[in-house]
Amino acid sequence: MKAIKEKHSLVMRWTHWVNFPLLGIMIWSGLLIYWANDVYTVTIFGHTFVRFFPEWFYNLLHIPHHLSEGMAFHFLFMWFFTLNGIFYVLYTIISGDWRELWPQKKSFKEAWAVMLHDLHIRKTAPPQGKYNAAQRIAYSAIIIMGLGSVLTGLAIYKPVQINWLLWVMGGYHMARIWHFVLTLGYLFFFLIHIVQVILAGWNNFRSVVSGFEVIEESSPIKTNEAERN
Amino acid sequence: MKQKGIKKPLTVEQQIKRRNFLSFGVFGLLGATAYGGWRWLYNAPAETPGVTAGARLPLRRALNKTELFFRRLVFNETHLVKTYPVEMATKNVRHNEDIGAEGEIDAGAWRLEVIKKDGSRLNVSLPEIQALPKTDLVFDFKCVEGWDQIQHWGGVRFIDFINHFGLQEEIKMDYVGLMTPDKGYYVGLDTSSAIHPQTLLAYEMNGKPLPTQHGKPLRLIIPVKYGIKNLKRIGTITFSNQRPPDYWAEHGYDYYSGL
């Protein structure tokens, strides 16, 4: 028999979906800023492996160099991005939901097994609560990344007035590189996240919009199965 | 789920349908609203051109509010920029723009014009400025475009200049304005940033007189601001309680541009 199982609270869903366009705007406006001085490459021992935006890219897409526009958007939406993050973290702490999100000691060992299972190399995955070990690590890491973006951003934004923060980041150059690398991190996270959501299926996706999952109540083993995602 | 009156309780199937309909309905509605809000912002009319121009009106308002927030929160005149040993200064000082400082200038004929509060003018020659105590500064110059460079500048501290020429009344006003002799480039500064102890009226670069393309004979070096505020070839200095015109703020950039 079908039954409704509550899964995600309203605050979790709301902050998740608000964050999606916010992060999109932050990345887009950040690129407008970056394109004013597009210098980052991945160069090892004098060989350049990656140049993030080669010349043909600008020519092909007629990319505008709208530095002032990028800055204006970036400095408005940074507020919403930061506030949304603070709100989410406070909520998880106050509600106690952090317990099912924050990695446990065993999570780091288990995440490997989860990954092998996801790649169909291993048949069984370790038992889990609402989130599996890999999810705990990924969803906590993304919050720390968000914090990192806000702090490195602040260090670049006020390098004189908040210079202790710049010092913590390893200087102006390093702070900018961290800020950029974190952005690449979001893109990587997004890619994996989307693939996982597709693999997890409709019931799982729906729970992030509506908050509930549908489970088969007759068999307790199946219940565990449905909890997996 | 709340039940009102004596209605028959919904079956699980009905509950699922009902909750799906409601949550996805609200989700879609909020999504559409967010998209509408974004379209509104993206197509928002530009501000009325004045001291600032070229930005969307709501974004300009946000820039100004954000400026005030951070000024009150973290600006402190005693926060100094990091300085470096002189050997670390670059020999190839990057040059970006010549607006307002094109062509040669006769440093001997040049005078710095200071317009005082009462409207009277002070005309100062380069030797008069060079007679004041000299300060050297090796710091990380930051461009709004995102590059930075350790550069070595020498000149008189702006606050020393003010004190020497008896302009204490003038710096009680909120803003300082600087302009090139041809009025082609101009910047507005909040006075607290202008009198920051590391703000220089510079006449030397790497220990030599300023080259033409770096602002000969006198330029501003203000390490608490992005490069766009470091006016080359100063012609006039003014003081006011209203924001003086600012070249890049008229092109959509943040007026304050403070670091």
Side-chain angles (χ1 to χ4, degrees):
Chain A
M1 210 190 101
K2 275 183 180 171
I4 286 178
K5 181 169 175 282
E6 301 301 332
K7 195 170 179 197
H8 299 296
S9 69
L10 190 65
V11 176
M12 300 281 258
R13 287 178 272 149
W14 170 244
T15 48
H16 172 268
W17 286 114
V18 164
N19 197 47
F20 177 59
L22 278 183
L23 195 54
I25 292 168
M26 288 311 280
I27 292 175
W28 163 75
S29 56
L31 280 175
L32 288 183
I33 297 172
Y34 175 70
W35 285 331
N37 184 48
D38 151 29
V39 288
Y40 289 158
T41 56
V42 178
T43 302
I44 301 165
F45 297 123
H47 182 76
T48 299
F49 290 94
V50 180
R51 187 176 166 79
F52 288 97
F53 299 97
E55 206 51 44
W56 58 259
F57 172 84
Y58 294 100
N59 297 336
L60 187 75
L61 298 174
H62 305 286
I63 295 290
H65 291 261
H66 285 178
L67 174 59
S68 62
E69 184 185 33
M71 291 175 91
F73 276 106
H74 215 64
F75 298 155
L76 171 58
F77 282 88
M78 69 177 186
W79 289 112
F80 303 121
F81 180 72
T82 309
L83 291 175
N84 190 51
I86 291 173
F87 182 55
Y88 169 83
V89 170
L90 281 182
Y91 173 79
T92 34
I93 291 170
I94 293 166
S95 69
D97 285 359
W98 65 272
R99 284 191 196 87
E100 47 200 11
L101 271 157
W102 196 248
Q104 298 155 313
K105 255 190 192 161
K106 59 176 184 181
S107 298
F108 294 94
K109 218 186 277 174
E110 283 182 12
W112 181 246
V114 172
M115 200 182 81
L116 292 181
H117 178 257
D118 283 351
L119 294 170
H120 300 278
I121 293 168
R122 199 187 135 124
K123 271 210 172 125
T124 55
Q128 59 169 83
K130 185 168 168 182
Y131 298 109
N132 66 39
Q135 282 176 311
R136 279 175 183 262
I137 292 169
Y139 297 161
S140 297
I142 201 86
I143 293 303
I144 293 170
M145 284 165 66
L147 180 70
S149 287
V150 170
L151 292 180
T152 51
L154 201 57
I156 303 165
Y157 185 51
K158 297 291 166 198
V160 179
Q161 302 304 335
I162 320 182
N163 53 15
W164 59 269
L165 192 59
L166 203 64
W167 183 82
V168 171
M169 303 296 163
Y172 192 67
H173 269 258
M174 280 317 289
R176 286 185 67 98
I177 290 172
W178 285 125
H179 203 68
F180 188 81
V181 166
L182 283 167
T183 310
L184 295 178
Y186 295 123
L187 297 177
F188 178 71
F189 176 89
F190 183 72
L191 209 76
I192 305 285
H193 193 55
I194 292 299
V195 171
Q196 295 281 34
V197 166
I198 291 168
L199 292 177
W202 167 249
N203 200 18
N204 178 68
F205 175 79
R206 176 177 54 193
S207 69
V208 188
V209 176
S210 65
F212 70 90
E213 271 189 333
V214 176
I215 53 167
E216 293 294 331
E217 234 180 7
S218 53
S219 148
I221 298 157
K222 279 237 170 103
T223 309
N224 274 338
E225 193 61 24
E227 263 179 354
R228 263 210 43 242
N229 300 305
Chain B
M1 193 141 294
K2 274 181 195 161
Q3 299 290 334
K4 279 179 196 161
I6 43 164
K7 266 187 197 162
K8 234 173 43 184
L10 296 170
T11 65
V12 172
E13 280 294 341
Q14 281 171 320
Q15 278 185 39
I16 292 171
K17 262 195 187 151
R18 193 186 137 91
R19 284 185 64 177
N20 270 345
F21 177 75
L22 274 176
S23 52
F24 276 89
V26 171
F27 184 75
L29 218 64
L30 287 174
T33 312
Y35 180 73
W38 172 253
R39 293 304 302 168
W40 169 80
L41 182 63
Y42 198 77
N43 297 316
E47 60 188 312
T48 319
V51 169
T52 60
R56 293 168 180 83
L57 188 59
L59 293 180
R60 175 64 74 186
R61 217 176 285 143
L63 279 177
N64 289 339
K65 294 272 182 223
T66 304
E67 168 199 328
L68 285 180
F69 177 84
F70 279 100
R71 262 168 87 171
R72 286 178 187 143
L73 187 73
V74 296
F75 184 84
N76 187 327
E77 279 157 28
T78 64
H79 289 172
L80 299 181
V81 298
K82 190 182 170 191
T83 53
Y84 297 82
V86 73
E87 305 84 64
M88 284 183 73
T90 179
K91 294 287 165 257
N92 303 309
V93 181
R94 187 158 163 177
H95 162 257
N96 249 26
E97 297 267 13
D98 273 330
I99 308 160
E102 295 100 343
E104 275 298 330
I105 187 167
D106 177 5
W110 171 90
R111 293 287 179 278
L112 173 63
E113 185 178 54
V114 182
I115 301 176
K116 294 171 80 170
K117 208 175 170 183
D118 59 10
S120 66
R121 280 147 203 261
L122 197 68
N123 284 294
V124 190
S125 71
L126 192 59
E128 283 179 272
I129 293 170
Q130 286 167 332
L132 298 177
K134 191 183 136 194
T135 302
D136 278 88
L137 181 67
V138 183
F139 80 108
D140 193 21
F141 180 99
K142 295 175 189 72
C143 178
V144 72
E145 289 171 3
W147 54 267
D148 63 302
Q149 215 177 32
I150 296 175
Q151 300 176 349
H152 174 199
W153 301 94
V156 55
R157 296 197 308 157
F158 189 75
I159 187 67
D160 290 346
F161 176 87
I162 293 290
N163 288 333
H164 178 82
F165 287 100
L167 299 165
Q168 287 82 0
E169 280 307 306
E170 276 69 18
I171 58 161
K172 283 181 185 154
M173 292 203 259
D174 296 336
Y175 293 97
V176 179
L178 294 99
M179 208 177 256
T180 54
D182 70 354
K183 298 178 171 45
Y185 198 101
Y186 34 90
V187 295
L189 309 166
D190 47 298
T191 304
S192 46
S193 293
I195 62 174
H196 183 275
Q198 290 172 309
T199 301
L200 298 183
L201 295 172
Y203 48 79
E204 278 185 4
M205 186 184 92
N206 287 331
K208 295 190 195 83
L210 287 185
T212 303
Q213 65 171 7
H214 287 291
K216 177 187 170 186
L218 189 74
R219 72 170 294 174
L220 182 72
I221 288 296
I222 179 162
V224 293
K225 302 277 184 192
Y226 278 120
I228 48 173
K229 293 283 190 185
N230 290 241
L231 183 100
K232 289 170 181 168
R233 193 185 286 182
I234 309 171
T236 327
I237 299 179
T238 56
F239 304 88
S240 69
N241 282 318
Q242 281 81 44
R243 289 181 147 186
D246 186 276
Y247 185 87
W248 288 108
E250 288 171 7
H251 288 77
Y253 286 84
D254 178 27
Y255 190 94
Y256 187 63
S257 290
L259 298 171

